[in-house]
Amino acid sequence: MHSNFSKFLDALQSRNRGSFPIWLMRQAGRYLPEYRALREKHSLRDLFFTPKLAAEITLMPIERFGLDAAILFSDITAIAPAMGFSLDFQEGPKVSLNPTSQKLYTVKEDLSQFEPIQEAIGYIKQKSRLPLIGFCGAPFTIATYFMPNWKEVPQEIFIQFLDQIAHYCIFFLKKQIEAGVDAIQIFDSWANLLENREFEIYSLQYIQKIIQSIDVPSIVFMRGSSKNAEKIAQLNPSAISLDWEIPIHEVRKKVSLPLQGNLDPELLFLRPCEIRKKVRFIFDEMKGDPGLIVNLGHGILPNTPLESVYTLIDEIRKMG
Ligand code: CP3
């Protein structure tokens, strides 16, 4: 039987049959009124680290839309407390540390900070049989938040910091896998800031290390992923999550791995009939593709109309 459970995981093995699976990056977030209602009553930190709340939010978009995978409600900066840094969200995540001080490497780690996240995964798995995606940020993208002045930091120190972050990323993922996630996604959202050798050593090298350290299917996302798809494919992930810079059928000519993406998030601000037309135009080119997962090319925008999301999902379901 081709159950909902296997549809997403099958696509990660290039075994699509019938319609394409669909989920949306940042699907649990501010465009959902039920999320905003809960957010009014709690701080972001509480939402991320209270197991029942994190589980409830993870399942909000599933209950509303019937997507093919859930993604854990957490954040790439959620590793900060385990690393011994304080984490505060005010206009985006802020981490307290002194980036040029050697103290960076002697802060006291506290791995018990991952326990509420593991507990949240346990609740989600109890309540839903859908595949659950765990995730981490890639070290470079996390570093841009933890060390905003990274460009001024001596390269040697920066690399030590990236190594240290990579260690916690792998630990974070292993804890998520132990608790029951079925696949993971690595977000290197800011990798597009890097070029040539810096791209290799700050971004690709660490992504490869993370992929090699875990034993569930892995998806790699970055801004610039469609342009760099062949390089990312060499790291041997299970799939590449594409931005919309290059049409997906063009990327498919160069890469045989499963592909995820790659709709422009702004598409969801068009009228329903326009959304349907564009979605058909893009994915008709991929008809019969064995390894396609429909998604956006970056996170869903906070003021996206709900009706657009219903329309998108309906159109994809009709294509099968
Ligand atoms: O639904 C999901 O996708 C799961 C949850 C999730 C969040 N963050 C929740 C969140 C995921 C996968 C992330 C990843 C993340 N976090 C990335 C990589 C993906 C990307 O968008 O590029 C990055 C770069 C971050 C860092 C981050 N977290 C920023 C810059 C911000 C503030 C700006 C913003 O988008 O709101 C956050 C906060 C955050 N993380 C929110 C959510 C739902 C906003 C919550 C709120 O304000 O209520």
Side-chain angles (χ1 to χ4, degrees):
M1 199 187 91
H2 195 53
S3 71
N4 257 353
F5 183 78
S6 62
K7 199 168 167 182
F8 165 76
L9 296 172
D10 283 351
L12 287 176
Q13 298 190 293
S14 293
R15 288 189 191 158
N16 265 343
R17 285 163 289 177
S19 71
F20 302 127
I22 177 169
W23 70 277
L24 304 171
M25 285 191 266
R26 295 283 194 109
Q27 65 192 18
R30 280 162 298 179
Y31 74 108
L32 292 175
E34 55 273 35
Y35 172 82
R36 290 195 303 269
L38 204 56
R39 178 77 174 83
E40 268 176 30
K41 294 189 272 174
H42 304 274
S43 72
L44 253 190
R45 225 198 117 110
D46 283 350
L47 296 184
F48 291 138
F49 289 93
T50 310
K52 285 218 158 110
L53 293 177
E56 185 186 340
I57 297 170
T58 300
L59 294 173
M60 281 175 176
I62 305 305
E63 275 151 25
R64 186 182 265 280
F65 304 116
L67 296 147
D68 294 306
I71 182 161
L72 175 67
F73 180 77
S74 187
D75 196 72
I76 61 166
T77 53
I79 61 166
M83 294 179 76
F85 305 144
S86 82
L87 176 63
D88 183 25
F89 287 88
Q90 270 156 18
E91 303 166 40
K94 293 233 168 11
V95 172
S96 72
L97 56 81
N98 179 351
T100 50
S101 133
Q102 291 298 323
K103 274 213 186 75
L104 195 60
Y105 312 107
T106 56
V107 289
K108 194 161 163 28
E109 69 169 20
D110 177 8
L111 300 176
S112 70
Q113 298 281 346
F114 289 133
E115 283 165 15
I117 295 170
Q118 287 194 292
E119 212 179 305
I121 293 169
Y123 285 132
I124 298 161
K125 297 303 287 185
Q126 263 172 29
K127 284 200 187 154
S128 163
R129 301 196 52 221
L130 268 191
L132 176 62
I133 304 167
F135 68 90
C136 70
F140 175 71
T141 289
I142 294 177
T144 62
Y145 292 99
F146 287 11
M147 200 182 253
N149 65 337
W150 62 275
K151 278 192 188 140
E152 292 133 45
V153 173
Q155 193 180 56
E156 217 181 291
I157 304 239
F158 189 52
I159 286 178
Q160 273 183 55
F161 189 46
L162 292 175
D163 284 348
Q164 195 192 15
I165 298 174
H167 169 84
Y168 288 96
C169 289
I170 291 166
F171 200 88
F172 186 32
L173 290 177
K174 287 194 167 159
K175 287 288 171 198
Q176 294 177 45
I177 293 164
E178 199 180 288
V181 303
D182 302 285
I184 63 100
Q185 179 151 324
I186 302 167
F187 288 93
D188 207 353
S189 308
W190 292 107
N192 61 316
L193 299 177
L194 302 169
E195 282 183 322
N196 307 322
R197 177 129 181 86
E198 278 196 343
F199 179 53
E200 306 268 338
I201 62 173
Y202 293 166
S203 174
L204 294 177
Q205 181 179 240
Y206 288 105
I207 294 174
Q208 178 164 42
K209 189 169 170 194
I210 294 170
I211 292 170
Q212 286 172 349
S213 307
I214 53 121
D215 56 7
V216 298
S218 56
I219 306 169
V220 173
F221 168 78
M222 64 176 64
R223 284 198 184 89
S225 56
S226 58
K227 203 170 56 192
N228 289 303
E230 286 165 289
K231 282 188 182 166
I232 298 169
Q234 285 172 8
L235 311 178
N236 234 355
S238 307
I240 306 175
S241 195
L242 300 172
D243 62 30
W244 60 97
E245 201 178 333
I246 300 174
I248 193 163
H249 69 274
E250 293 293 335
V251 179
R252 172 52 84 220
K253 290 178 191 159
K254 297 182 185 167
V255 173
S256 59
L257 278 180
L259 297 174
Q260 177 175 281
N262 69 342
L263 300 168
D264 179 348
E266 299 275 359
L267 174 98
L268 296 177
F269 292 86
L270 300 177
R271 300 199 332 268
C273 64
E274 289 296 316
I275 294 174
R276 288 183 190 277
K277 228 162 69 189
K278 292 223 170 180
V279 164
R280 275 220 172 246
F281 180 79
I282 292 167
F283 294 117
D284 268 349
E285 297 273 3
M286 298 293 282
K287 232 184 180 127
D289 193 280
L292 170 69
I293 297 162
V294 173
N295 204 315
L296 305 177
H298 200 181
I300 190 164
L301 296 162
N303 46 355
T304 298
L306 293 173
E307 192 195 356
S308 300
V309 180
Y310 286 112
T311 303
L312 164 62
I313 295 169
D314 183 61
E315 196 57 34
I316 294 298
R317 300 289 187 226
K318 284 204 317 215
M319 290 186 76

